[in-house]
Amino acid sequence: MAKKTAMKKNASKKAAKTSGKKSPVRKGAVAKTIKKTTKRTVAPARKSATARPPKGPAWQWSAVETAAAIRAGAISAVETVEAHLERMHAVNPRLNAVVVDLGEDALRAGHAADRRRAKGGELGLLHGVPITIKENVDYEGRPNFNGVPANKDLVAPSDSPVVRNLKKAGAIVIGLTNTPEFSFRGFTDNPLHGLTLNPWDPNITCGGSSGGARSAVAAGIGTIAHGNDIGGSLRWPAHCNGVATIKPTQGRIPAFNASATAERPMLAHLMSAQGPLARHVGDVRLALEVMSQRDPRDPWWVPAPLTGPKPKGPIKVALAKIPEDMAVDPAVSAALRQAADHLERSGYRVSEVEVPDINGVWQTWCDIITNETVVMQEAGMLKVTSEDFHKAWGGMKTKANALDLKAWMQATAARNGHIRAWQLFFEEYPVVLAPTTVKPTPGPRDDTVSAERVQEIFWGEIRFISAINVLGLPGAVVPVAVHDGRPIGVQLIAGRYREDLALDAAAAIEKRAGVLTHRLWETMA
């Protein structure tokens, strides 16, 4: 990790102690409010006599609150960055969530942001807001390690689209977060940077592959964390760390790594998505808008609107019936019932129904991703990865069917039928409420125990997460409860390009369940 940056502690402490009323955030009005504000000519970058920042230290504020406070002159971008760097240096040594400290660059960016505001320049939606980036997308001038030491020469010639969009919106990157080798495991550990811990409990996993991102944002390092998801890598760690996220529809957020030595195969691209993680659903919604801006380097990007027509009458929610072979822990059942109750009390109509062939959908995902990887990537990956990676990957393959060319074409054709069935299902039930996992969060390295344990996790526990990737559907995760000191989240799934419906339902749950990371901070030293 790079050398820690010397920070102006007095200014940071002053900002942390300043208190005031929280800025009210109306549902569905976040981006509109910020956009209107950014069009104004702003005053010089000194604190306004009337502007009052939110309560608590600056690192505890939401991204929406932080952007508004900087814009109003209640705090400078530099002070905000300093507060987050101080938090990072306080808690990251025991978590190992941020593996590249970009503090010096972040402070320079903070000064530039304050100069821009002082000159009256137009400000982006995330002007001066500290964030983190997962170390598996291109960050200009740095190696794209993706958890693999052998990738040291894959130096990014330019920022990936998602990084470029975040920077264009004024976000300030304070660090890069950890990911497993080739981002292939659901547990975040690698020979380059080591194991990332869960801030709630070091005896449970922080998830993967975006485990570093989730651990960081839950602990208060950055307001928004970037991640990506091909089999649950946004939603699974969000559940493990008690934060919110959205896996967008395929094509919503552009993706490309110029450092890559070859193009990604088709189905891997169709099942993968970039996305945000944050402590607040409102921040997830705002980050989604920023990340979704066009980039011509991604031929699959779709210029779809971020909001669609509201369903007529009360929105019907399908509480997904759990397959009989999945043994559900009582705490998970209670969390699902609690989430359903929150939705009912918010005006939704929830019914427990069977969703279309969740078992067949998951098997199609497993067969497609495994066979594509075996043909296109496996030999090269196994040459440069650890024994732990070999164990985990070997376990992932045990549930997949080996496909010849004809079977492969049949599997990809079956994918179309699954998507159609779900789209028709959404005509009656626009939102599906489903578990993230049906079991308590496992240990930090459970996927290295045995092939049988890996199969048990992916098939027996998180089936409702990985299955959604092959459908290309949006899925949000929002925390609902804490059981035995560990967070439990639920998943909200909606139709193609209807992230708004999934996030609306997640926000309704969050309004009643609260933001769980506030409880976490009370227990952290």
Side-chain angles (χ1 to χ4, degrees):
M1 186 178 292
K3 187 177 181 180
K4 292 183 178 179
T5 306
M7 298 176 295
K8 300 177 182 177
K9 293 186 178 179
N10 291 337
S12 179
K13 290 178 181 178
K14 183 178 179 182
K17 292 179 180 179
T18 307
S19 63
K21 295 181 181 179
K22 287 189 177 181
S23 302
V25 179
R26 297 192 306 275
K27 184 178 179 182
V30 174
K32 290 181 181 178
T33 301
I34 292 177
K35 282 181 178 178
K36 288 179 181 177
T37 308
T38 59
K39 292 180 180 178
R40 301 191 197 118
T41 300
V42 292
R46 63 176 182 272
K47 290 185 180 180
S48 167
T50 58
R52 301 179 66 187
K55 293 180 181 179
W59 61 264
Q60 293 185 358
W61 303 349
S62 71
V64 171
E65 291 170 333
T66 302
I70 293 172
R71 193 171 299 107
I75 190 172
S76 70
V78 169
E79 289 174 313
T80 306
V81 169
E82 287 176 337
H84 280 266
L85 291 178
E86 187 170 357
R87 178 63 175 176
M88 180 171 76
H89 296 155
V91 300
N92 191 61
R94 56 182 149 150
L95 298 177
N96 192 37
V98 176
V99 292
V100 177
D101 185 336
L102 296 176
E104 292 181 3
D105 292 342
L107 286 170
R108 283 193 289 269
H111 283 292
D114 288 334
R115 289 194 297 270
R116 183 176 182 84
R117 181 184 179 277
K119 292 177 181 178
E122 186 171 330
L123 308 183
L125 294 177
L126 293 175
H127 182 81
V129 176
I131 67 167
T132 61
I133 299 294
K134 183 178 177 181
E135 200 190 29
N136 75 341
V137 297
D138 279 0
Y139 197 91
E140 184 175 358
R142 300 202 59 86
N144 187 340
F145 277 111
N146 201 8
V148 181
N151 287 345
K152 64 183 185 301
D153 296 326
L154 297 181
V155 178
S158 59
D159 286 334
S160 67
V162 70
V163 174
R164 179 176 293 181
N165 284 341
L166 286 162
K167 286 183 176 179
K168 283 169 62 179
I172 296 177
V173 183
I174 61 174
L176 307 183
T177 56
N178 205 17
T179 187
E181 294 164 274
F182 289 109
S183 299
F184 252 65
R185 294 170 59 189
F187 298 74
T188 301
D189 187 17
N190 63 61
L192 180 66
H193 299 303
L195 178 69
T196 295
L197 298 180
N198 190 316
W200 291 85
D201 185 344
N203 295 311
I204 60 173
T205 182
C206 64
S209 62
S210 305
R214 294 353 174 250
S215 177
V217 78
I221 304 171
T223 61
I224 295 166
H226 154 264
N228 31 52
D229 189 318
I230 197 171
S233 293
L234 281 163
R235 292 156 293 147
W236 170 231
H239 162 88
C240 296
N241 294 278
V243 298
T245 191
I246 183 78
K247 183 203 81 66
T249 311
Q250 186 280 323
R252 168 69 76 186
I253 297 176
F256 174 70
N257 284 326
S259 68
T261 57
E263 293 283 354
R264 297 188 80 183
M266 184 178 67
L267 269 298
H269 200 120
L270 291 178
M271 294 193 296
S272 178
Q274 306 294 317
L277 300 106
R279 299 181 290 269
H280 302 258
V281 173
D283 291 352
V284 172
R285 195 189 300 271
L286 176 59
L288 175 66
E289 177 173 351
V290 168
M291 291 178 171
S292 298
Q293 300 305 304
R294 175 182 180 270
D295 192 296
R297 294 174 292 175
D298 186 349
W300 296 98
W301 178 80
V302 177
L306 285 164
T307 58
K310 290 290 184 183
K312 294 180 180 179
I315 296 176
K316 295 174 66 176
V317 176
L319 172 58
K321 285 187 176 180
I322 312 298
E324 293 183 359
D325 63 333
M326 296 181 76
V328 186
D329 186 86
V332 172
S333 296
L336 283 167
R337 289 194 300 270
Q338 188 173 345
D341 181 66
H342 290 333
L343 290 173
E344 286 275 0
R345 295 176 65 188
S346 301
Y348 291 83
R349 296 294 178 262
V350 183
S351 302
E352 185 173 4
V353 297
E354 189 170 325
V355 297
D357 193 14
I358 191 67
N359 295 349
V361 171
W362 186 93
Q363 191 64 58
T364 300
W365 168 82
C366 183
D367 289 348
I368 287 176
I369 194 171
T370 301
N371 282 269
E372 193 170 75
T373 301
V374 167
V375 172
M376 301 292 291
Q377 299 169 276
E378 182 182 56
M381 290 194 306
L382 293 180
K383 288 180 181 178
V384 296
T385 47
S386 67
E387 185 60 31
D388 281 348
F389 177 90
H390 294 188
K391 290 178 182 177
W393 171 238
M396 292 179 200
K397 294 195 298 181
T398 57
K399 188 66 177 174
N401 297 307
L403 305 179
D404 59 16
L405 181 58
K406 180 180 179 181
W408 165 261
M409 296 174 75
Q410 290 172 333
T412 57
R415 174 178 178 269
N416 294 335
H418 288 309
I419 294 172
R420 183 179 299 109
W422 276 73
Q423 284 296 107
L424 291 170
F425 185 80
F426 288 127
E427 290 294 300
E428 183 174 1
Y429 297 96
V431 177
V432 172
L433 170 61
T436 49
T437 177
V438 298
K439 291 291 187 181
T441 305
R445 291 191 176 95
D446 262 26
D447 64 336
T448 64
V449 172
S450 65
E452 292 74 22
R453 178 63 182 130
V454 176
Q455 180 177 324
E456 185 178 73
I457 293 168
F458 279 87
W459 169 252
E461 299 180 12
I462 64 171
R463 192 181 310 173
F464 277 89
I465 289 182
S466 299
I468 303 309
N469 289 83
V470 76
L471 301 171
L473 297 174
V477 164
V478 63
V480 178
V482 176
H483 180 72
D484 289 339
R486 301 169 178 184
I488 299 175
V490 296
Q491 185 176 195
L492 289 312
I493 308 162
R496 288 171 62 80
Y497 302 105
R498 293 311 308 265
E499 290 87 352
D500 58 325
L501 293 179
L503 289 172
D504 285 347
I509 292 173
E510 179 187 77
K511 184 177 181 180
R512 297 182 181 278
V515 177
L516 298 193
T517 47
H518 293 168
R519 302 189 205 178
L520 168 65
W521 298 336
E522 292 174 359
T523 65
M524 295 182 72

